[in-house]
Amino acid sequence: MALTDRTGEGRASLPPWIKTTFLTLGSIAVTMLGLLFVTFIIGRVMPIDPVLAIVGERASQSTYDAVFEELGLDKPLIVQFGYYIWDVLHLDFGTSLLNARPVSEDIARVFPATLELATLGIFFGIVLGVPLGVLAAVRKGSWIDQVARVVALVGYSMPIFWLGLMGLLIFYGILGWVGGPGRVGIFYVDVVPPVTGMILIDALLDRNWDVFKNAFSHIILPAALLGYYSLAYISRMTRSFMLEQLSAEYITTARVKGMSEWDVVWKHAVKNIRVQLITVIALSYATLLEGSVLTEIIFSWPGIGSYITTALLSADMNAVLGGTVVVGLVFILLNIFSDLLYKVFDPRAR
């Protein structure tokens, strides 16, 4: 017995929050390492010679060899991968072949535009999609349910580029209710100082209401388009979650006790689907951040989606891989944020 006590004295278990932190950090590190490995392999297997892209086809062999060694391409692949990880950790994604600027500077310039557009889009999706899904479940089989299902079906079925073109034709070309392509009109370019890179916030900070109104008229249509795309998914999943909750025994018990339908739906059923909704909203937001390529191209929106597309068409692999790493990092951060919200709304996850 004494031997057991002496053995147990040397073992001090770590607090649960420390274990959770280490596990989370380890998961992030492994995921990022896998992402970097995939992007590294893609950069090596693409049929594009990075040296020729820099020096041109008319360069001499000595110039080619010098740049080849400078890029570290003469080293073994494992060493090149190590250099690649080191550069990424220092936010060094190389130099863009299109404009000879560091890729990290280009991403810092274009990503706020996508962040602003996707954030407003997911706001529309949440504010409209969640109530629509709840009402469709509560009034299952009614006209509200039918409308919600048609809205979701159209959102899934219609190509987003077609909706964008029709939106520009009707609301900009014919009715003139919104601004055209781009973030602001030509007379408002670079009027407010770029503090955050998100022009609506920068205009508010500068108290320039003319720029704010002009920027809002340009962003409302693409944001509404993305919001409709996310609304279709959020409303459909909310309806499914709510139908499951409304058929549960505790809902029947609450109704038998005489609780109002409002309290039954919003204080009990909706409360119990919050964790599931967090996952759906986080996935929708991440999808808007990385999947708004067609929307950005249609509306000439200078975001990371159009930046990666332009770089890919121009064989600028430094820009493509740098943008891919940033988008992957956004997914990882959103997953971490979702896990934190789980613990806030669900005590069982703590």
Side-chain angles (χ1 to χ4, degrees):
M1 185 69 179
L3 179 61
T4 304
D5 291 339
R6 284 195 299 270
T7 305
E9 286 176 2
R11 279 185 260 168
S13 60
L14 294 174
W17 69 270
I18 294 181
K19 294 180 180 179
T20 303
T21 302
F22 276 118
L23 289 174
T24 302
L25 292 176
S27 176
I28 295 172
V30 172
T31 306
M32 276 302 300
L33 187 63
L35 174 63
L36 293 177
F37 178 75
V38 171
T39 55
F40 174 79
I41 294 299
I42 291 175
R44 293 301 182 272
V45 300
M46 288 290 290
I48 299 173
D49 192 334
V51 179
L52 286 180
I54 294 174
V55 302
E57 296 182 356
R58 297 184 178 181
S60 62
Q61 185 64 38
S62 59
T63 303
Y64 181 94
D65 294 339
V67 175
F68 188 84
E69 293 180 6
E70 184 179 349
L71 295 177
L73 298 177
D74 57 328
K75 304 289 193 302
L77 281 178
I78 186 65
V79 176
Q80 295 182 40
F81 183 54
Y83 287 157
Y84 179 66
I85 294 176
W86 178 259
D87 290 339
V88 171
L89 290 177
H90 289 78
L91 300 180
D92 181 7
F93 300 108
T95 302
S96 173
L97 303 179
L98 290 176
N99 52 32
R101 287 199 302 259
V103 172
S104 56
E105 292 183 5
D106 285 343
I107 293 176
R109 174 175 50 84
V110 301
F111 185 73
T114 298
L115 182 64
E116 182 179 38
L117 181 62
T119 301
L120 192 57
I122 197 65
F123 175 78
F124 289 153
I126 295 172
V127 170
L128 299 176
V130 173
L132 182 62
V134 171
L135 291 175
V138 173
R139 300 286 186 265
K140 181 182 178 182
S142 67
W143 67 270
I144 297 178
D145 186 22
Q146 298 299 327
V147 168
R149 296 171 70 177
V150 169
V151 167
L153 180 62
V154 173
Y156 275 113
S157 305
M158 289 292 182
I160 196 167
F161 69 88
W162 185 86
L163 291 177
L165 292 175
M166 291 300 100
L168 276 175
L169 175 63
I170 297 172
F171 296 106
Y172 170 63
I174 298 176
L175 300 176
W177 290 355
V178 299
R183 300 183 75 184
V184 289
I186 189 172
F187 296 107
Y188 296 99
V189 175
D190 297 331
V191 172
V192 296
V195 179
T196 64
M198 292 177 280
I199 197 164
L200 290 178
I201 296 178
D202 291 342
L204 287 176
L205 294 176
D206 196 53
R207 296 184 179 181
N208 194 321
W209 306 114
D210 291 335
V211 174
F212 180 84
K213 288 188 293 185
N214 187 267
F216 187 78
S217 70
H218 281 75
I219 197 176
I220 186 65
L221 184 57
L225 182 63
L226 292 178
Y228 178 55
Y229 181 75
S230 62
L231 178 151
Y233 178 58
I234 292 174
S235 63
R236 177 174 175 270
M237 297 306 297
T238 302
R239 179 183 181 275
S240 177
F241 298 150
M242 283 296 297
L243 288 176
E244 181 181 356
Q245 293 297 321
L246 292 175
S247 63
E249 293 183 359
Y250 78 93
I251 294 294
T252 304
T253 303
R255 286 171 172 160
V256 169
K257 288 182 177 180
M259 187 174 292
S260 66
E261 189 67 14
W262 175 271
D263 290 338
V264 169
V265 172
W266 293 100
K267 292 185 178 180
H268 288 275
V270 173
K271 183 179 180 180
N272 285 335
I273 67 170
R274 288 182 300 182
V275 173
Q276 295 167 297
L277 280 180
I278 288 171
T279 303
V280 170
I281 292 171
L283 289 175
S284 297
Y285 189 38
T287 301
L288 294 186
L289 284 171
E290 62 88 22
S292 57
V293 176
L294 292 176
T295 304
E296 291 184 357
I297 293 175
I298 292 171
F299 290 92
S300 299
W301 196 263
I304 193 168
S306 58
Y307 175 76
I308 294 176
T309 303
T310 302
L312 185 60
L313 294 175
S314 304
D316 188 355
M317 292 309 298
N318 287 339
V320 172
L321 298 180
T324 303
V325 170
V326 170
V327 170
L329 181 60
V330 168
F331 266 91
I332 295 173
L333 293 178
L334 284 174
N335 282 329
I336 296 172
F337 185 65
S338 299
D339 291 339
L340 293 177
L341 290 181
Y342 291 164
K343 294 178 174 61
V344 173
F345 291 115
D346 189 356
R348 295 171 299 179
R350 295 173 190 170

